[in-house]
């Protein structure tokens, strides 16, 4: 054989898949372990005084703990899409959490890190929650295997009926049926089984384990709750047990990695998809933000800042800590940089490589940290961070707040007035960046945005007796007389209506006082209620979301809070609020003066006359004075 022919054969062979796979055998392995609704403060290594998380605490001592790690969104599906694509959710199309059966999905036009690794000869596995399509396990939308996974065990959204013995897992497009044990342990065990069963143990792998824990419906195995047996509140025992449950699942996976000799050549990234659910004071949603403002769905830090720990022996210093802001979108370009894979040049990649950070150097960003969530309060729906500065804007980018996160990590003080030049700079940058993001994405958000949220279905509380004799209709609450007027103590959403002798059909002013009767806790609120029909869904509320630091107007139940108007204000939790509501039904408009702050709003079209006036509160005790109508 001539030297020319031999050289040609060798050159061609260099490009064949066999040789790419062979060359990949020295490449590092990757594991991304993602939890669901775990708050920034929900681990021992992040300062929680009670939660037992021995495996993750040990893991933090072996790697790099990120104190300013962010999810790409404050709800689940969008954060997941950013991890796989390196692109902010409104660009990649997964702009919202995905309801079952909906049109929304991670499109096959998106380039996932899994698909890139497959081309490099990697074997790939996903176990746990998927939540990147509405039509799960259907040919109508891409499934995990369409995005590069060789093997997968997944659910569309939550484990059903809860985290114990789930019945809705699907493995490689085949329904599995009931599986015994905690969901997180099932997911980790699936990854371990797959890893041990591979034909060639030297082929590099990429694994994503995405737990359902601690998302609702929370259910923890007894063995994990026993650590909290001295806590009387069952909700706390269940939540904290759920964190210990996922911690044990993580520990089992890491132990298997060690046992099989993969530890030294495996890059592991642990994080969460968003902040904790609920208000943190009742039920099983007891997650901790570690003192940050806001929770799941919020653009403030508590909704988006999450635990983040990375281990890569020999490349990352054990026990190190970094305050550098990073985001889930950074995982994609970091893996590409490790393997010298060129980033796609036909689309914007929002993340950046973290390799310089691992060696103690600064990282460089072309795109700022950016968030948009349609479920956040309308006044705080968009956010951007550049350096220590963070700007939060309303949905239509007409109102803004500015924070210096280094100096004010709890976002207590809007410093826009104190730093006008910086405020103007970031406001212009946010408006420009937001427009570019929305223009690049598929525009699905236009089909299902604010208009749908305004009509969100409201639960109807059960009828209750009124021992005071002052109300014609009482729903979901007890009522009692006080020196102030009346005390409302609702089970969830509570309403009390008085039928007017003469309905309001044109103009009127209604005056009222209210104050929180809670002695502790963040959830405090109270509102005046107007209605033609005395129901939750058909009534209109104007009042104060005390725990959210804003005055609000909304139609229907609490799920629509602020949909007719909201205004941030400064007040103390135990303040007494005096409200004067001016109405003009002929023009469908109104305004409320609340302790010197004016809130304007539009009345719903079906509120043609007001026949009932009353009170509203949710999950909190509130006192109201007798309303005066002028």
């Amino acid at each position: 054989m001539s030297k020319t022919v031999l050289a040609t054969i060798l050159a061609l062979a260099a490009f064949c898949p066999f040789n790419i796979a062979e060359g990949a055998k020295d490449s590092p392995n990757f594991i991304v372990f993602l939890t669901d609704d775990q708050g920034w403060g929900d681990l021992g290594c992040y300062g929680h005084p009670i939660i037992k998380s021995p495996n993750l605490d040990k893991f933090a001592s072996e790697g790099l703990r990120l104190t300013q790690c962010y999810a790409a969104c404050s709800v689940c599906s969008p954060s997941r899409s950013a991890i796989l694509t390196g692109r902010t959710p409104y660009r990649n199309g997964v702009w919202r959490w995905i309801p079952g059966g909906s049109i929304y999905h991670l499109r096959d036009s998106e380039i996932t890190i899994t698909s890139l690794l497959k081309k490099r000869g990697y074997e790939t596995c996903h176990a746990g929650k998927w939540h990147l399509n509405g039509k799960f396990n259907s040919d109508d939308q891409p499934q995990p295997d369409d995005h590069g996974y060789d093997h997968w065990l997944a659910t569309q959204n939550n484990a059903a009926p809860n985290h114990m013995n789930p019945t809705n897992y699907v493995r490689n497009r085949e329904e599995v049926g009931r599986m015994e044990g905690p969901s997180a342990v099932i997911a980790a065990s699936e990854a371990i089984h797959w890893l041990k069963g591979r034909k060639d143990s030297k082929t590099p792998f990429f694994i994503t384990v995405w737990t359902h824990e601690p998302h609702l419906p929370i259910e923890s195995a007894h063995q994990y709750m026993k650590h909290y047996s001295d806590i009387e509140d069952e909700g706390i025992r269940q939540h904290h047990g759920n964190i210990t449950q996922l911690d044990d699942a993580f520990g089992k996976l890491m132990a298997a990695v060690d046992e099989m000799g993969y530890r030294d050549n495996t890059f592991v990234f642990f994080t969460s998809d968003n902040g904790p659910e609920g208000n943190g004071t009742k039920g099983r949603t007891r997650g901790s933000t570690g003192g940050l403002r806001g929770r799941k769905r919020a653009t403030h830090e508590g909704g988006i800042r999450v635990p983040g720990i990375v281990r890569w022996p020999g490349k990352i210093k054990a026990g190190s800590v970094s305050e550098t802001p990073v985001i889930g979108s950074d995982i994609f370009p970091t893996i590409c940089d490790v393997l010298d894979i060129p980033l796609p040049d036909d689309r914007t990649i929002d993340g950046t490589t973290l390799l310089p950070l691992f060696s103690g150097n600064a990282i460089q960003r072309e795109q700022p940290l950016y968030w948009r969530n349609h479920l956040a309060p309308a006044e705080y729906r968009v956010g951007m961070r550049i350096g220590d500065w963070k700007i939060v804007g309303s949905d239509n980018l007409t109102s803004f707040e500015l924070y210096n996160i280094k100096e004010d990590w709890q976002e207590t003080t809007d410093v826009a007035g104190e730093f006008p030049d910086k405020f103007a700079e970031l406001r212009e940058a946010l408006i420009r960046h937001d427009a570019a993001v929305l223009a690049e994405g598929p525009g699905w958000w236009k089909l299902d945005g604010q208009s749908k949220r305004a009509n969100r279905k409201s639960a109807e509380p059960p009828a209750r007796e009124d021992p005071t004799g002052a109300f014609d209709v009482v729903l979901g609450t007890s009522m009692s007389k006080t020196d102030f007027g009346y005390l409302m103590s609702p089970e969830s959403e509570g309403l009390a209506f008085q039928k007017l002798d003469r309905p309001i059909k044109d103009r009127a002013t209604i005056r009222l006082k209210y104050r929180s009767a809670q002695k502790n806790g963040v959830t405090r609120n109270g509102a005046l209620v107007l209605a033609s029909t005395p129901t939750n869904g058909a009534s209109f509320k104007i009042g104060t979301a005390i725990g959210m630091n804003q005055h609000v107007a909304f139609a229907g139940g609490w799920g629509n809070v602020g949909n007719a108007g909201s205004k941030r204000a400064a007040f103390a939790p135990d303040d007494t609020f005096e409200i004067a509501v001016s109405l003009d039904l002929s023009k469908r408009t109104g305004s409320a003066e609340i302790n010197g702050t004016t809130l304007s709003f539009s009345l719903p079209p079906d509120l043609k006359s007001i026949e009932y006036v009353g009170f509203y509160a949710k999950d909190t005790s509130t006192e109201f004075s007798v309303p005066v109508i002028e």
Side-chain angles (χ1 to χ4, degrees):
M1 182 181 294
S2 70
K3 291 183 179 179
T4 302
V5 173
L6 178 60
T8 302
I9 292 172
L10 291 174
L12 291 172
F15 292 95
C16 76
F18 174 82
N19 277 278
I20 293 174
E22 288 297 309
K25 288 189 175 182
D26 295 326
S27 300
N29 309 300
F30 298 93
I31 297 175
V32 177
F33 197 103
L34 181 74
T35 62
D36 199 338
D37 288 4
Q38 183 177 5
W40 186 60
D42 277 337
L43 288 175
C45 57
Y46 277 83
H48 200 287
I50 299 173
I51 285 177
K52 306 298 182 184
S53 51
N55 295 293
L56 282 159
D57 295 348
K58 177 185 176 185
F59 182 71
S61 72
E62 298 168 342
L64 170 64
R65 184 169 64 88
L66 303 164
T67 63
Q68 299 191 52
C69 179
Y70 291 101
C73 187
S74 55
V75 290
C76 43
S77 301
S79 295
R80 298 162 194 274
S81 70
I83 287 173
L84 291 185
T85 66
R87 285 156 54 79
T88 197
Y90 272 76
R91 282 198 217 271
N92 68 42
V94 186
W95 64 281
R96 59 160 296 159
W97 76 272
I98 302 180
S102 75
I103 66 169
Y104 307 118
H105 61 276
L106 184 61
R107 300 168 296 162
D108 54 15
S109 60
E110 289 297 318
I111 299 173
T112 63
I113 190 60
T114 330
S115 61
L116 292 179
L117 291 176
K118 283 289 293 176
K119 293 178 181 179
R120 286 295 183 99
Y122 275 69
E123 293 180 340
T124 55
C125 170
H126 174 79
K129 182 171 178 174
W130 180 241
H131 213 187
L132 287 173
N133 55 21
K135 297 178 181 179
F136 180 65
N137 202 30
S138 165
D139 291 335
D140 292 341
Q141 291 176 357
Q143 303 304 314
D145 47 285
D146 295 310
H147 286 300
Y149 284 100
D150 298 318
H151 179 91
W152 56 276
L153 176 78
T155 63
Q156 189 270 333
N157 187 357
N158 302 319
N162 53 48
H163 298 157
M164 287 300 298
N165 310 321
T167 61
N168 59 332
Y169 266 119
V170 174
R171 179 185 287 117
N172 300 329
R173 300 189 181 239
E174 295 291 334
E175 294 183 5
V176 178
R178 178 185 169 96
M179 300 186 76
E180 297 292 328
S183 183
V185 175
I186 290 171
S189 298
E190 183 77 11
I192 293 168
H193 181 75
W194 172 82
L195 198 56
K196 290 184 174 180
R198 296 188 306 149
K199 292 181 180 179
D200 185 353
S201 62
K202 294 183 179 180
T203 301
F205 59 81
F206 174 79
I207 294 174
T208 46
V209 174
W210 294 354
T211 72
H212 300 94
E213 289 92 332
H215 193 290
L216 290 171
I218 289 173
E219 192 69 33
S220 301
H222 173 72
Q223 68 192 84
Y224 305 116
M225 292 175 62
K226 67 182 181 181
H227 301 287
Y228 314 104
S229 58
D230 59 336
I231 298 176
E232 183 177 350
D233 191 317
E234 187 262 357
I236 296 177
R237 296 198 307 272
Q238 280 283 355
H239 175 270
H240 292 4
N242 228 222
I243 301 294
T244 304
Q245 186 163 290
L246 71 86
D247 176 81
D248 186 51
F250 180 82
K252 291 181 187 303
L253 180 58
M254 293 300 100
V257 167
D258 289 355
E259 175 192 330
M260 289 182 276
Y262 293 127
R263 177 192 179 102
D264 289 344
N265 197 34
T266 300
F267 173 107
V268 184
F269 199 115
F270 171 89
T271 190
S272 173
D273 65 347
N274 49 250
E277 177 64 273
N279 59 26
T281 62
K282 66 179 207 174
R284 298 185 179 186
T285 53
R286 297 302 184 88
S288 169
T289 67
L292 299 170
R293 176 180 171 183
R295 299 176 71 84
K296 179 178 178 179
R297 302 177 188 85
T299 309
H300 292 104
E301 295 288 288
I304 53 178
R305 194 190 291 196
V306 292
I309 311 171
V310 196
R311 188 186 74 184
W312 192 12
K315 305 294 192 303
I316 294 176
K317 182 181 178 182
S320 54
V321 178
S322 175
E323 297 181 352
T324 299
V326 304
I327 194 166
S329 314
D330 294 336
I331 294 174
F332 178 103
T334 299
I335 295 175
C336 287
D337 195 15
V338 169
L339 298 176
D340 200 24
I341 298 174
L343 293 178
D345 58 6
D346 62 342
R347 63 198 63 205
T348 304
I349 300 297
D350 291 280
T352 192
T353 177
L354 300 180
L355 283 190
L357 181 64
F358 299 159
S359 56
N361 297 312
I363 61 175
Q364 302 297 321
R365 290 194 180 278
E366 292 186 12
Q367 304 295 328
L369 301 181
Y370 162 86
W371 302 270
R372 176 179 270 277
N373 181 10
H374 77 296
L375 292 178
E379 194 172 0
Y380 314 114
R381 196 154 289 172
V382 191
M384 183 179 70
R385 179 171 177 179
I386 298 176
D388 294 330
W389 296 96
K390 179 179 172 186
I391 187 168
V392 176
S394 61
D395 186 37
N396 57 6
L397 296 182
T398 57
S399 64
F400 304 88
E401 293 179 354
L402 180 68
Y403 300 96
N404 185 307
I405 299 300
K406 183 177 181 180
E407 301 296 330
D408 181 20
W409 60 277
Q410 293 180 303
E411 295 170 295
T412 63
T413 307
D414 173 13
V415 294
E418 187 178 351
F419 298 94
D421 293 342
K422 179 59 68 174
F423 173 66
E425 174 191 334
L426 264 69
R427 178 181 59 190
E428 180 182 349
L430 176 58
I431 292 172
R432 183 173 60 250
H433 187 75
D434 182 69
V437 170
L438 297 184
E440 188 172 335
W444 281 340
W445 54 274
K446 298 176 184 177
L447 306 176
D448 186 1
Q450 176 65 22
S451 59
K452 275 201 173 182
R453 185 165 185 258
N455 296 320
R456 192 170 177 180
K457 187 176 180 180
S458 303
E460 291 301 330
R464 294 288 183 252
E465 297 294 327
D466 172 31
T468 71
F471 301 94
D472 297 283
V473 178
V474 175
L475 303 175
T477 185
S478 63
M479 299 296 298
S480 58
K481 289 184 177 180
T482 67
D483 292 340
F484 192 81
Y486 299 97
L487 173 65
M488 170 178 279
S489 299
E491 300 143 25
S492 179
E493 292 186 89
L495 303 96
F497 295 94
Q498 295 176 329
K499 187 174 177 62
L500 300 177
D501 294 332
R502 289 177 19 178
I504 299 171
K505 297 185 177 181
D506 189 11
R507 297 181 179 179
T509 297
I510 304 174
R511 301 183 186 277
L512 179 71
K513 295 181 182 180
Y514 51 93
R515 66 187 183 191
S516 173
Q518 291 288 118
K519 300 303 180 186
N520 51 51
V522 175
T523 300
R524 304 180 187 213
N525 52 71
L528 172 71
V529 180
L530 312 174
S532 298
T533 304
T535 67
N536 191 27
S539 59
F540 188 77
K541 290 91 173 176
I542 314 104
T544 306
I546 301 171
M548 296 165 62
N549 295 108
Q550 57 185 315
H551 303 305
V552 294
F554 57 104
W558 186 261
N560 299 312
V561 67
N563 67 1
S566 63
K567 191 67 174 288
R568 184 167 175 78
F571 45 73
D574 56 355
D575 279 357
T576 296
F577 299 90
E578 297 188 26
I579 183 172
V581 178
S582 300
L583 304 168
D584 189 336
L585 272 69
S586 64
K587 295 182 179 179
R588 324 302 311 152
T589 60
S591 65
E593 189 80 13
I594 310 174
N595 286 11
T597 299
T598 301
L599 171 67
S600 299
F601 50 84
S602 296
L603 295 169
D606 55 350
L607 189 63
K608 301 185 185 304
S609 68
I610 297 171
E611 301 190 25
Y612 292 86
V613 170
F615 315 139
Y616 171 90
K618 181 180 185 297
D619 291 329
T620 184
S621 295
T622 306
E623 286 188 288
F624 297 88
S625 68
V626 176
V628 177
I629 302 175
E630 301 171 355

